[in-house]
Amino acid sequence: MITNDNGLYAAFVAKDARFDGRFFVGISSTRIYCRPVCRARQPKAENCTFYSTAAEAELAGYRPCLLCRPELAPGTSITDATTVLAHKAARMLEKNCGTGQNLDELAGRLGCTDRHLRRVFTTEYNVSPVQYLQTCRLLLAKNLITDTNLNIIDVAMAAGFGSLRRFNDLFKKHYNLTPTTLRKQSAAGKQKNGNITLALGYRPPYRWEEMLNFLAGRAITGIEVVKNGEYMRTVHLENAEGKHVNGWVRVGHKPKKNVLSVTVSETLLPVLPQVLARIRHLFDLYCDPDAVYETLRVMNDIRPGLCVLGTRVPGCFNAFEMAVRAVLGQQITVKAASTLAARIVDAYGTPVQTGIEGLTHVFPSPEAILALDGPIENHFGPLGVIAARSRTIYELARTIVQGEIDFDLCAQPEEEMKKLMTIHGIGSWTAQYIAMRAMEWPDAFLETDAGVKKALQPNTSKKLLEMAESWRPWRSYATISLWNSL
């Protein structure tokens, strides 16, 4: 990150997408703040003040630019934050901005006091967690007003505001215009089918085809479909009141705009922040590809083209679903694991109506697995799952339900991996794989994996670990690069 104003202004003049989301520019002559890629008329250097977050710019009295739309800026990856705790807290605030979660609950999940979290967060982001949360809600609302045809009251509720009056007051105070005025100025009104389509930004380049190929090869029949350059899946979540919500999501790519187009069914509006956060995780939208490549390009000394700029680590949308599939995939082919997962879905998943061919069920929850009568192998055995793996899946469900393992932005992935390996049937490979995809751990490395060995043959696992030391802290990206090279 550039730290001097001259360097930041030079990056702003260059409109370099690599800096998008890394800083924001407050312009004193207009009292608006912009992304560094904004194409508006270039302001003078003396009129520019630079901020690390949108929340900090808004706290200073600036309102978001209607042209570059700061709400579309990509976020920052784990290693970008000097304080991992603050980074985790920011992600959780974004994900839960539609709920009433307070700071005490957030701090408890992160294993610290609210006082410590507030101090660390303010040091890292120059705003308090409450101010950051408020900006998250306002920017999500602005996105919905601009890009959808939702009623203003539905926008307010989806963004986590307790009342329409409070939403209107805050919006006018921060942005100097009312939600209705913004709606009239925008191009909204195009979406008439009841679905919600928004854009999520990323830092280019993005290897979209490689991401789709990975997901397509592991898609579970009934749950996921990859077709015509898009990814689609069913969704099951709980809203703030604990009510179960079902629906579907479709994700496409708009490379000219450096965004993913995300369409969700209207039924998911009550859990929209959760859905968007999971999509960002699944498609690794927080990644800074230049920072990753700067470290991993040494891989090309082994073989040209081994590491390609823009490679992402596929995350997951449903951590339990992905973990079950990882257990099923032990010592069998990717295709065979998908077949077994599809049988479990067909037998124990919940049917849903989506209107999309191939999307018919949601994956069984950990609670549903624990509720099955009798030994778990009696249920999964007839589906072709061996008894040992059936019991591993059951134990995995139990630890999740009882809160013994945290997959959701856990503060210490390495500690969670140790907990995973206490479950009979989960070894280092499975724990590393789950951490890489479910916990956003960027430094997992699967030295015993058959694909990794094949890509770097004839090296031994011990030699591979030695080679991978120079790839820290991006060994997860190195693993994906090796798989892609095959």
Side-chain angles (χ1 to χ4, degrees), residues 208-209 212 226-231 251-253:
W208 177 249
E209 292 301 323
L212 280 192
V226 177
K227 185 178 180 181
N228 299 327
E230 294 183 321
Y231 172 84
V251 183
H253 186 212

Side-chain angles (χ1 to χ4, degrees), residues 175-326:
Y175 298 160
N176 201 29
L177 76 169
T178 66
T180 303
T181 302
L182 177 60
R183 169 60 56 82
K184 290 178 181 178
Q185 293 178 3
S186 72
K190 296 179 181 179
Q191 300 175 39
K192 300 293 186 180
N193 58 2
N195 300 326
I196 303 159
T197 300
L198 297 171
L200 298 180
Y202 63 79
R203 292 182 185 86
Y206 193 108
R207 301 190 71 194
W208 177 249
E209 292 301 323
E210 285 74 13
M211 174 65 78
L212 280 192
N213 289 340
F214 184 96
L215 296 176
R218 293 157 180 79
I220 301 174
T221 301
I223 303 287
E224 302 168 288
V225 172
V226 177
K227 185 178 180 181
N228 299 327
E230 294 183 321
Y231 172 84
M232 295 166 278
R233 66 162 294 127
T234 57
V235 175
H236 171 78
L237 293 170
E238 291 185 12
N239 65 10
E241 289 74 40
K243 180 180 178 181
H244 295 272
V245 179
N246 293 328
W248 56 266
V249 61
R250 181 174 68 245
V251 183
H253 186 212
K254 293 185 176 180
K256 292 183 179 179
K257 295 184 177 181
N258 297 331
V259 300
L260 299 188
S261 173
V262 181
T263 301
V264 304
S265 60
E266 193 173 23
T267 57
L268 296 177
L269 185 60
V271 291
L272 184 59
Q274 285 191 61
V275 173
L276 297 180
R278 288 170 185 249
I279 292 296
R280 289 188 179 99
H281 174 196
L282 173 59
F283 290 95
D284 197 14
L285 299 189
Y286 292 101
C287 173
D288 182 343
D290 291 286
V292 174
Y293 187 72
E294 183 66 26
T295 298
L296 297 187
R297 62 183 179 181
V298 297
M299 295 176 68
N300 295 330
D301 294 336
I302 301 172
R303 188 168 71 250
L306 201 56
C307 177
V308 180
L309 179 64
T311 297
R312 296 314 207 266
V313 172
C316 69
F317 193 91
N318 180 321
F320 178 63
E321 171 191 306
M322 193 282 301
V324 169
R325 202 194 171 289

Side-chain angles (χ1 to χ4, degrees), residues 248 352-360:
W248 56 266
V352 293
Q353 298 293 325
T354 64
I356 299 176
E357 184 179 359
L359 298 185
T360 59

Side-chain angles (χ1 to χ4, degrees), residues 63-85:
R63 59 186 186 276
C65 174
L66 298 181
L67 179 62
C68 67
R69 299 180 58 190
E71 71 270 17
L72 300 183
T76 54
S77 65
I78 287 174
T79 55
D80 286 328
T82 56
T83 305
V84 174
L85 179 64

Side-chain angles (χ1 to χ4, degrees), residues 415-480:
E415 292 301 314
E416 301 304 313
M417 281 188 273
K418 292 178 183 177
K419 295 177 186 177
L420 277 171
M421 287 189 287
T422 64
I423 298 175
H424 185 72
I426 293 184
S428 177
W429 183 95
T430 307
Q432 292 274 349
Y433 183 79
I434 291 174
M436 179 174 70
R437 296 197 58 198
M439 303 179 196
E440 296 187 65
W441 181 231
D443 201 32
F445 188 65
L446 285 61
E447 75 278 1
T448 63
D449 179 79
V452 170
K453 286 184 173 181
K454 184 177 180 180
L456 294 175
Q457 60 185 349
N459 294 289
T460 64
S461 296
K462 181 179 179 180
K463 179 62 176 177
L464 293 179
L465 272 178
E466 293 175 359
M467 294 170 61
E469 279 300 306
S470 64
W471 303 340
R472 289 182 181 273
W474 307 113
R475 292 186 302 171
S476 294
Y477 292 86
T479 300
I480 296 298

Side-chain angles (χ1 to χ4, degrees), residues 87-109:
H87 165 86
K88 297 289 187 182
R91 292 279 190 92
M92 293 178 74
L93 288 171
E94 293 168 12
K95 182 176 180 179
N96 297 305
C97 70
T99 70
Q101 185 181 50
N102 58 44
L103 192 60
D104 286 340
E105 294 171 330
L106 177 61
R109 288 197 59 188

